[in-house]
Structures are given as C-alpha cells and as structure tokens.
Amino acid sequence: MLVLTRKKGQSIVIGDDIEITIADVFGDQVRLGIKAPKDVPVHRKEVYLEIKEENKKAAGTNITSFEEAYKNIKK
Amino acid sequence: MIIKTMHFGEVEIDEKSILYFDEGLPGFDNIKKYVILTGDEGMPFRWLQAVEESYPAFAIVSPFEINQNYEIDLDKATEEYLQIKEPSEVAVYSIVVIPEDITKMTANLKAPLIINTTNNKGKQMIMDNSPYQIKHYILDELIKAREAQEQGGK
C-alpha cells in the first residue's frame, strides 16, 4: 500500500485515467473528488463489502427454503 | 445448449438468452455469463443461474412487485456501460436472500441488477445514496401482491 500525505486542493493520479482530489478537510472528515472512466465503479468501501456479503448469502439460498418461502406466499 | 443448474439439474437453454455481466457481480467477479430461469407459473421468484457452472444461482424478484413506489435512476455510467437507449429496454431485478427463518427473507433494493434486454448486457448497479436498503424485508409485500393478484382475477 502506498501511503502519502496531501493538502486540501492537491490530487493523486492513478494510472492514466483516475484522479482523486482532496476537495475539503473538516475535523476528521475529508471530502474527495474522484474522476474515473465510466466503466470503473467507485463506491464507499463499506457499502461495496456489504453488497458482496449479501450476494454471497444469496448464492447459498437452498431450494428447500425457496419452496417453503413460496408456500408462505401462496397461502 | 444444456447447462448444469444448482436446483434444477440439467436444463436446456437457448444461447440467445444468455446474459453478459462483464464485470461479474460483487463477490463473484469471475462469473460473467448467466441465464434467467423461471420456476412454476405464478411464482414471484426467478433464478439467475450461472451458465458455465452450477454455482452460483440467485433467487431474484422484480422490485416493482415488492414496492409499487420503487423508483430507480440509472446513473450515467450504467446507462452508457449497458448501452441503454430506451427505458423499455431495461429489466430490473433484486437479489433475494432467504435465511433459515423464511419470514425474514430480504431483497437487495439498494443494488439492483440492471439488464439491457436488447443486447443482453447486465450489471449490478450500487446506489450508494439511495434510501433503499440492502436488506429489505419482502414477505409481507409479496403476500399482499399475491392477494391483489388473486383479487384482480375474480
């Protein structure tokens, strides 16, 4: 992991097409500006991890639960 | 072609119905080809089944059936990536999780699957700022939807 320090207004460039700018700093929060190509997804990490976990749980849904669930809806 | 499915054994599918998720799905980056399998008539759930392997397969549901007021705004990145030109081309599904206690089944309304039915490209669009939840309880709504359907038929 590369660790470096930037001041407000400064930027970091990743590869050719990704740029992250420190837009503002207030207290323990940092506002970032992110420029990236449209096909590169950019997400808050905790949201991305939660989606990933949820997908993994969903992939494990077994058919018995599914059939039971359906019966519950049918009645 | 015949594929091996997680729940239905071997199934014959039309190659033209294969959906291409070129970015995969979070947690399943390497699985890029899926098909949608329908279960019994009248079931609100369908299955998003991987084509090349029997795992994974996801139970999916239309979020508009769960919540009549569900609205999504496709972000520009998704629109361009999937080459969407008209709203009528778009199909939306939410991935469902059915835990041991089935009354607690949930659908991910925050990160719907967006599919362009014209070119069969798909992606899971994460709406960071959306008020919708990753775990939205759906049992009550599905029951209501079913009741409404039956009422309508009378």
Side-chain angles (χ1 to χ4, degrees), chain A residues 54, chain B residues 95-99 102 104-108 134-139:
Chain A
E54 205 61 13
Chain B
I95 293 180
V96 173
V97 176
I98 306 179
I102 57 115
K104 302 220 158 48
M105 69 173 105
T106 58
N108 185 345
I134 294 174
K135 292 194 223 269
H136 181 100
Y137 290 107
I138 58 171
L139 184 61

Side-chain angles (χ1 to χ4, degrees), chain A residues 38-39 43-44 47-48 50-52 54-59 61-63 65-66 68-70 72-73, chain B residues 6-7 23 26-28 43 45 47 58 77 80 95-98 102 105 111 124 126 128 134-135 142:
Chain A
K38 299 251 162 69
D39 57 349
H43 296 294
R44 290 171 178 72
V47 174
Y48 185 80
E50 215 184 320
I51 306 278
K52 195 166 162 176
E54 205 61 13
N55 283 352
K56 291 206 170 133
K57 281 195 211 139
T61 296
N62 72 56
I63 190 105
S65 321
F66 174 63
E68 216 192 304
Y70 180 50
N72 266 266
I73 298 164
Chain B
M6 198 157 107
H7 302 305
E23 290 174 346
F28 298 92
M43 278 239 258
F45 303 118
W47 291 88
F58 302 96
E80 287 189 19
I95 293 180
V96 173
V97 176
I98 306 179
I102 57 115
M105 69 173 105
Q124 184 164 24
I126 300 177
D128 284 61
I134 294 174
K135 292 194 223 269
L142 282 174

Side-chain angles (χ1 to χ4, degrees), chain B residues 100-118:
Chain B
E100 291 266 330
D101 178 356
I102 57 115
T103 63
K104 302 220 158 48
M105 69 173 105
T106 58
N108 185 345
L109 298 189
K110 201 181 192 69
L113 301 176
I114 310 293
I115 295 165
N116 181 341
T117 57
T118 305

